[in-house]
Amino acid sequence: MRLKRIARTTTISLVACSLLIAGGALASTERNTVSVMGTYVIPDGNRDANYGAGLHFAVGLPLDQRLTLEPNLVNLLYERDSDASKRDGGVGLGLDLMFSPVSAGAARFHLIGGLGALYEKLSGEHYWSPALNLGAGVRIAIGERFSLRGEARYH
């Protein structure tokens, strides 16, 4: 099934930097954010995915002190042994809900999940497929307008 091969690939966001658009400290969670994250795709033989990398863009729209809605865009490239070109990829559009139950000083821990759609290119074929992701992470304030964000997600 194509969905199992690509859309549900485990990814780890390694490098992330969030710019707090409206200003104010991270502790004040009622600020819009823009996040740009580098993404690494973990190899998985069951899904015929060797490795991959990409970018993840998100806009955080706080609903209250603990909940943030994040429309996002993901662009990923994959290596696969079964494909003659060995390069596949996808562009995803999604809507995530981030729940931040715990803060400790400059660090804010969160759970995140969402739904979306992934436009994939596999072995020369192009198609849309549904996408689901679940994950957890941490965001650490660096000054009043910047933070580092790291998370692990299962797609």
Side-chain angles (χ1 to χ4, degrees), residues 23-44:
L26 183 64
S28 176
T29 59
E30 297 186 29
R31 305 284 188 227
N32 293 338
T33 62
V34 174
S35 299
V36 179
M37 295 176 270
T39 300
Y40 172 73
V41 179
I42 295 173
D44 186 344

Side-chain angles (χ1 to χ4, degrees), residues 78-89 121-125:
Y78 303 90
E79 285 280 335
R80 294 184 18 193
D81 286 333
S82 66
D83 187 0
S85 71
K86 297 210 179 253
R87 295 299 286 178
D88 291 316
K121 177 196 152 287
L122 296 174
S123 302
E125 295 180 30

Side-chain angles (χ1 to χ4, degrees), residues 84-150:
S85 71
K86 297 210 179 253
R87 295 299 286 178
D88 291 316
V91 175
L93 298 171
L95 187 62
D96 295 338
L97 185 63
M98 181 189 301
F99 174 63
S100 302
V102 179
S103 292
R108 184 172 192 94
F109 302 93
H110 61 265
L111 301 172
I112 194 162
L115 299 171
L118 185 64
Y119 180 74
E120 301 176 277
K121 177 196 152 287
L122 296 174
S123 302
E125 295 180 30
H126 300 265
Y127 56 89
W128 284 94
S129 61
L132 167 73
N133 76 81
L134 299 171
V138 64
R139 187 165 38 183
I140 301 170
I142 299 176
E144 290 190 22
R145 296 186 59 86
F146 292 93
S147 63
L148 288 177
R149 174 176 164 179

